[in-house]
Amino acid sequence: MTTSDAQFTAESGRGGEFVRQANRFTGRPEPEAGRYRLVVSLACPWAHRAVIVRRLLGLEEALGLSIVDPIRDEAGWRFTNHPDGRDPVTGLAFLADAYRASDPTYSGRVTVPAIIDLRSGHVVTNDYPQITLDLSTRWTALHRAGAPDLYPERLRAEIDAINADVFRDVNNGVYRCGFATTQEAYEAAFDALFARLDALEERLAGQRYLVGDTITEADIRLFTTLVRFDAVYHGHFKTNLRKLTEYPVLWAYARDLFQTEGFGDTVDFDHIKRHYYVTHDRINPTGIVPKGPDPALWHTPHGRG
């Protein structure tokens, strides 16, 4: 079984609940322009967070970006989307090669996002929640002039609290629905997901962003699930009580973010749909990729200025 982030596996005997794997790289790269490479899948919501943060903070020149093929098979994330089947900067054919070079005994999953040290070719970190926070708080000397503060110290407790709720019920909740192996587990995840979406709809009716009056880490983490919701999760993961477009406030909020530089211009619906519908052969054995929904809807007026 493959999930789009490859961070989670179904834990047997616990009703299809998803859990983090403990075996991962947790280094914290020292800010140094040109030394590291951020490896992502544009399909993966957890990797997409790092792409957005990198763009918002103006770190494109300081931290290079390598993009894997959206189709992840038994060999793992690969670079077959490049002409010679290798990433032109790292020289990798498979991301797994960097994992094995970093730790020959590594037995965890090969995941994105990952940051690779170009000097050694080793994976420094694949700790996806910490990567974006470090880019915001430890890489400040390399931020563009006027870069936003995505994790302001005075709001961190509130951001952390809402991130925990959103992760449990929404970010991870869609996976708990999609990969549930019992009706009971599916319905529990389904109910928690839509209860949380209802609460977010209410919260955002009175404010433009989740925390404070500017975009923060909390908005980025919610957005990467919302932007995939109707295209993938609603049908593929059976999260079909309502579409995102049927939530007046959440749909307007999501379009507001999408139309903000750094959000919509980092979304690749082709990669997203091909990854989920082709990779998850247990859920979609035919591998047919749906044509809809119409991406033009994301460019319609949102009215939240």
Side-chain angles (χ1 to χ4, degrees):
M1 180 183 66
T2 307
T3 64
S4 93
D5 69 325
Q7 297 283 1
F8 302 95
T9 55
E11 185 179 38
S12 61
R14 291 184 61 185
E17 182 180 356
F18 281 71
V19 293
R20 289 194 199 180
Q21 289 205 346
N23 190 8
R24 60 180 179 176
F25 295 90
T26 57
R28 304 183 74 183
E30 292 298 325
E32 184 176 337
R35 178 173 176 176
Y36 302 101
R37 198 80 178 171
L38 174 64
V39 181
V40 304
S41 163
L42 296 180
C44 171
W46 321 95
H48 191 189
R49 299 174 180 180
V51 178
I52 293 172
V53 169
R54 173 179 173 268
R55 177 71 63 83
L56 292 177
L57 298 179
L59 292 171
E60 293 99 324
E61 295 298 321
L63 179 62
L65 185 69
S66 293
I67 298 170
V68 297
D69 193 291
I71 307 303
R72 185 186 190 280
D73 59 15
E74 63 278 357
W77 296 112
R78 53 192 180 170
F79 290 94
T80 43
N81 50 330
H82 295 280
D84 62 353
R86 290 185 178 274
D87 175 47
V89 175
T90 64
L92 293 169
F94 294 91
L95 183 55
D97 295 338
Y99 275 71
R100 285 190 288 266
S102 308
D103 180 3
T105 67
Y106 183 74
S107 59
R109 295 184 67 93
V110 174
T111 66
V112 289
I115 292 182
I116 295 176
D117 186 339
L118 293 176
R119 293 179 186 172
S120 65
H122 291 176
V123 176
V124 180
T125 179
N126 65 349
D127 188 356
Y128 72 95
Q130 193 61 47
I131 286 173
T132 52
L133 297 181
D134 281 350
L135 293 180
S136 288
T137 62
R138 301 183 73 238
W139 286 58
T140 52
L142 298 174
H143 290 181
R144 65 173 173 84
D149 186 352
L150 300 174
Y151 195 50
E153 191 166 1
R154 65 184 177 83
L155 297 176
R156 287 179 188 176
E158 188 177 359
I159 292 171
D160 291 346
I162 198 162
N163 282 348
D165 289 339
V166 167
F167 172 81
R168 182 187 62 247
D169 298 332
V170 181
N171 303 145
N172 198 34
V174 293
Y175 286 93
R176 292 173 59 221
C177 290
F179 290 104
T181 56
T182 69
Q183 188 71 31
E184 180 184 22
Y186 163 71
E187 291 188 8
F190 184 97
D191 291 344
L193 167 64
F194 283 97
R196 183 61 56 192
L197 291 177
D198 289 345
L200 291 168
E201 174 87 351
E202 183 177 353
R203 180 186 183 98
L204 287 164
Q207 57 196 71
R208 188 173 183 182
Y209 303 114
L210 281 175
V211 180
D213 55 6
T214 60
I215 291 168
T216 67
E217 176 82 11
D219 299 296
I220 295 165
R221 294 190 183 195
L222 177 58
F223 173 80
T224 59
T225 297
L226 295 183
V227 79
R228 289 159 173 78
F229 200 89
D230 288 3
V232 175
Y233 304 140
H234 180 269
H236 188 55
F237 280 178
K238 307 179 185 70
T239 62
N240 60 355
L241 181 64
R242 282 181 290 277
K243 294 180 180 179
L244 175 63
T245 55
E246 294 170 349
Y247 279 99
V249 174
L250 276 174
W251 173 224
Y253 163 81
R255 280 177 291 152
D256 185 7
L257 293 175
F258 186 93
Q259 293 168 32
T260 299
E261 184 177 358
F263 285 84
D265 52 359
T266 63
V267 173
D268 191 315
F269 284 116
D270 172 63
H271 275 224
I272 290 168
K273 292 198 295 184
R274 282 197 292 131
H275 170 75
Y276 282 92
Y277 286 103
V278 176
T279 298
H280 299 154
D281 53 2
R282 289 190 184 182
I283 299 175
N284 187 40
T286 64
I288 294 173
V289 179
K291 292 184 68 175
D294 183 359
L297 295 173
W298 283 94
H299 298 279
T300 57
H302 55 76
R304 287 181 65 86

